[in-house]
Amino acid sequence: MAEIRGQCCNVVRLLADYLERQLPAAIQRELEQHLQRCPRCVSQLHTYKSTVSLLRSLKDEELPPELRLTLKAFIDAKCRN
């Protein structure tokens, strides 16, 4: 599928769905093939995973209320949790 092939910028927009296993099987396979040969995208995947994990580990009282609401909305929208 040309959606991913040779287009690292397309990988970034698929990371949330990939991590949540929300991609169609064909796109997931293609993304995994891309990741096998693209260390830059693997690095991006690890950074994305770490960021989401870190943000989820923060306690509500550790963040200003506006930032907390913004981050929660972002994570909910992107990770479907």
Side-chain angles (χ1 to χ4, degrees):
M1 178 174 255
E3 185 169 351
I4 296 173
R5 201 169 308 123
Q7 299 291 327
C8 294
C9 61
N10 290 331
V11 169
V12 172
R13 66 184 177 84
L14 297 173
L15 290 180
D17 288 339
Y18 175 71
L19 290 174
E20 295 296 319
R21 305 202 186 284
Q22 299 293 321
L23 292 175
I27 293 175
Q28 181 169 330
R29 279 192 303 276
E30 187 174 342
L31 178 58
E32 288 170 347
Q33 290 172 355
H34 179 86
L35 291 171
Q36 288 176 358
R37 56 182 195 278
C38 185
R40 190 170 129 205
C41 287
V42 170
S43 178
Q44 183 70 30
L45 175 65
H46 291 307
T47 299
Y48 189 89
K49 275 176 151 175
S50 296
T51 301
V52 170
S53 178
L54 175 66
L55 291 173
R56 288 180 188 210
S57 72
L58 292 174
K59 294 181 175 74
D60 282 348
E61 61 274 3
E62 295 175 352
L63 298 173
E66 312 82 40
L67 180 57
R68 181 176 46 237
L69 291 174
T70 301
L71 290 173
K72 182 179 181 335
F74 175 82
I75 292 171
D76 287 346
K78 298 295 182 185
C79 298
R80 293 180 175 86
N81 283 335

